[in-house]
Amino acid sequence: MAFRGFALATIGLVATAHAQVSTQCQGDVCYSLSIPQTSSSSNSRDIYFRIAAPKDYQWVALGQGSEMDGAQMFVMYQSANGQNVTVSPRNGEGHNTPEYNGNSQLTLLEGSGVLADKMVANVRCSNCSSWRGGNMDFSSSAASWIYANKFGYPIQSDDLNAGIQQHGNAYGTWSWDFATARGSNSVNPFLETSVITPSIINKSKSRNTVLVAHGGMASLAFLVVFPIGGILVRVANFSGLVWVHAGLQMLAWLIYLVAFGMGVWLATNTDDIKKAHPVIGIALFLVLLVQPALGWMHHKMFNEKRTRTAWSWTHIGIGRLAILVGMINGGLGLQLAGDTEKKHVVPYAIVAVVFGLAYIGAIVWGELKRRRNRPNEQYKLQGDELHSMN
Ligand code: HEM
Ligand code: HEM
Ligand SMILES: *[C@@H]1O[C@H](CO)[C@@H](O)[C@H](O)[C@H]1NC(C)=O
Ligand SMILES: *[C@@H]1O[C@H](CO)[C@@H](O)[C@H](O)[C@H]1NC(C)=O
Ligand SMILES: *[C@@H]1O[C@H](CO)[C@@H](O)[C@H](O)[C@H]1NC(C)=O
């Protein structure tokens, strides 16, 4: 027994020495490859690859080929119970969502799983030399590989056909030097090598915190505080109302300023800045810059003319449009973030519907009341600005 234990330990040591693993990192995602001696000579046997990434990714993929079209891709996401990973082999056609194709015969090996902050897939591929649309010669000196990933709410699924969202700007291609990957005799070369992922994991964690803070604060501004400021000026009637309105809108504006800063940071980090959600958010930010001045001008002119002027209509029109577009934009943000589990979508929708309807109701009610009052002479003298300026 003692001898056998010793022999095994020796074999383990030998395997370690010969486990040739080549690791490539793209940002905080690392890909490893190991080509056994036998498969590099005969080009017909198993190869091994590893995908290791922070678990804050929705999915992370490695692919054989030089572009999506015609590539064989391996998409990793968390398994249904969140403890392990699913690796789905897919074939690329054009830039469409790649479709599952099991010909490559993948086996998930020991050492795979969601381990602390990381998700790791150690995979044996038994039929990776050719696939629908391409082939790869593992006895050659190098070949082209691609990678892509999507940051955001994790997919937790055992379904090899699970729907995935399009990647952000984190995708690319590189030529993998096979010389450094060749020569292992191990049946799981990654068991003997520690998981390498750069410490950017902490950045991913803090990115998720910023994402939730951004969504929460922007929503607070556009779903709650701006609408309350609008509702008050429409339905309330007390001394100094205009300043309560101005104060609330400035508060909402400041909350949005912080959310805006975080949004810009989120967008530039992923190159999402050209997407509809950030573009609309930036447009709203710029448009809202002029609102205080317009509100002030309305107020001044109203005190002189005792009626709505062009300033009033601009201030009111821009304000109403901005609030409603902002509410819709939050929905686009949730879509961009890929909230597939609807953890944030449902509360957002409920708050948006409640405050959206309350706001629209207040506008309708206020304008109807205003129209009713219009022929009233006394009203004209007092003005239709709903606050009184004592
Ligand atoms: C970011 C800042 C602001 C925003 C987003 C904003 C937004 C709005 C909106 C949406 C309305 C129309 C409410 C409705 O739907 O009927 C409104 C009305 C009004 N705002 Fe503002 N506002 C801002 C700042 C100000 C300031 C600084 C003042 C005054 C100094 C002001 C004075 C008024 C007044 C008097 C009305 C009532 C106009 C009327 O109904 O005839 N606003 N504002
Ligand atoms: C009306 C203004 C805005 C609202 C209501 C809003 C709201 C949201 C919400 C609710 C989310 C999803 C957060 C989550 O799932 O927890 C989100 C995501 C996002 N927002 Fe905004 N946002 C606004 C403006 C902006 C602006 C101005 C930018 C950038 C310039 C921006 C960039 C982003 C990005 C990049 C994401 C997705 C991040 C990712 O998953 O990679 N947003 N936003
Ligand atoms: C994940 O699944 C593989 C293959 O079934 C297994 O070897 C590994 O131990 C699992 N990992 C965890 C953390 O359960
Ligand atoms: C291996 O892959 C090729 C190309 O996709 C396919 O034609 C073949 O059937 C696969 N072999 C097995 C045993 O699945
Ligand atoms: C990342 O965060 C963990 C705690 O969450 C900490 O122990 C570790 O030192 C951090 N790493 C870096 C590189 O900041």
Side-chain angles (χ1 to χ4, degrees), residues 150-153 207 211-212 214-215 218-219 222 256 260 263-264 266-267 270 272-273 277-278 281-282 284 326 329-330 333-334 336-337 339 344 348:
K150 170 77 178 88
F151 195 86
Y153 295 95
R207 191 179 189 283
L211 174 64
V212 174
H214 161 77
S219 305
F222 278 92
Y256 183 48
F260 176 82
V264 169
L266 286 168
T270 54
D272 274 342
I273 202 93
H277 172 75
I282 291 169
L284 285 176
N329 201 39
L334 288 161
L336 185 60
D339 185 6
H344 298 180
Y348 185 90

Side-chain angles (χ1 to χ4, degrees), residues 315-354:
H315 180 76
I316 295 171
I318 288 179
R320 287 178 184 171
L321 202 67
I323 291 170
L324 296 174
V325 169
M327 288 180 167
I328 295 167
N329 201 39
L332 296 177
L334 288 161
Q335 197 181 39
L336 185 60
D339 185 6
T340 45
E341 284 171 53
K342 313 258 179 288
K343 273 185 196 149
H344 298 180
V345 167
V346 172
Y348 185 90
I350 292 172
V351 177
V353 165
V354 168

Side-chain angles (χ1 to χ4, degrees), residues 103 105 127 130-132:
N103 280 348
Q105 299 184 27
N127 191 16
S130 67
W131 59 92
R132 197 185 76 199

Side-chain angles (χ1 to χ4, degrees), residues 57-378:
Y57 280 93
Q58 186 182 92
W59 57 265
V60 176
L62 170 68
Q64 298 174 275
S66 55
E67 54 176 336
M68 270 184 81
D69 192 20
Q72 168 150 282
M73 301 171 226
F74 311 109
V75 185
M76 172 180 77
Y77 38 89
Q78 288 185 30
S79 60
N81 63 11
Q83 312 275 300
N84 216 324
V85 293
T86 302
V87 179
S88 164
R90 300 186 183 210
N91 283 165
E93 216 174 292
H95 286 122
N96 304 320
T97 309
E99 281 186 13
Y100 170 69
N101 179 335
N103 280 348
S104 53
Q105 299 184 27
L106 303 186
T107 311
L108 196 61
L109 303 173
E110 216 186 311
S112 304
V114 176
L115 318 156
D117 293 345
K118 299 167 192 160
M119 45 182 176
V120 177
N122 291 339
V123 181
R124 179 176 65 232
C125 181
S126 303
N127 191 16
C128 267
S129 303
S130 67
W131 59 92
R132 197 185 76 199
N135 57 70
M136 186 166 279
D137 180 0
F138 290 105
S139 63
S140 68
S141 59
S144 186
W145 292 70
I146 57 172
Y147 71 92
N149 59 58
K150 170 77 178 88
F151 195 86
Y153 295 95
I155 295 175
Q156 291 190 328
S157 175
D158 295 336
D159 183 0
L160 293 167
N161 280 304
I164 60 172
Q165 285 196 312
Q166 194 186 336
H167 54 76
N169 80 321
Y171 65 90
T173 175
W174 81 91
S175 173
W176 211 330
D177 178 5
F178 288 168
T180 53
R182 236 187 312 263
S184 160
N185 297 315
S186 170
V187 291
N188 187 351
F190 306 120
L191 266 191
E192 295 120 28
T193 56
S194 58
V195 179
I196 305 172
T197 50
S199 56
I200 311 172
I201 283 175
N202 285 3
K203 201 178 119 201
S204 306
K205 264 190 166 170
S206 60
R207 191 179 189 283
N208 259 2
T209 312
V210 172
L211 174 64
V212 174
H214 161 77
M217 291 187 74
S219 305
L220 178 65
F222 278 92
L223 299 192
V224 181
V225 187
F226 277 133
I228 288 179
I231 291 170
L232 273 184
V233 88
R234 231 6 358 99
V235 306
N237 189 359
F238 55 82
S239 153
L241 171 58
V242 68
W243 304 119
V244 172
H245 165 77
L248 273 175
Q249 304 307 66
M250 294 314 290
L251 174 69
W253 192 83
L254 285 177
I255 295 172
Y256 183 48
L257 182 69
V258 178
F260 176 82
M262 294 190 282
V264 169
W265 183 83
L266 286 168
T268 43
N269 267 275
T270 54
D271 204 29
D272 274 342
I273 202 93
K274 295 179 207 96
K275 301 262 171 65
H277 172 75
V279 168
I280 293 171
I282 291 169
L284 285 176
F285 180 78
L286 296 176
V287 160
L288 285 176
L289 282 176
V290 301
Q291 272 301 85
L294 289 173
W296 173 251
M297 284 309 293
H298 153 77
H299 181 63
K300 258 189 68 169
M301 299 304 284
F302 191 88
N303 281 349
E304 274 174 35
K305 307 218 160 140
R306 297 275 125 201
T307 184
R308 281 185 183 172
T309 60
W311 298 107
S312 328
W313 289 115
T314 317
H315 180 76
I316 295 171
I318 288 179
R320 287 178 184 171
L321 202 67
I323 291 170
L324 296 174
V325 169
M327 288 180 167
I328 295 167
N329 201 39
L332 296 177
L334 288 161
Q335 197 181 39
L336 185 60
D339 185 6
T340 45
E341 284 171 53
K342 313 258 179 288
K343 273 185 196 149
H344 298 180
V345 167
V346 172
Y348 185 90
I350 292 172
V351 177
V353 165
V354 168
F355 279 86
L357 288 181
Y359 182 44
I360 292 171
I363 293 175
V364 172
W365 184 83
E367 295 296 333
L368 287 178
K369 193 175 113 185
R370 190 172 162 269
R371 211 162 285 177
R372 263 202 320 275
N373 287 344
R374 207 193 275 277
N376 182 327
E377 273 305 309
Q378 195 202 352

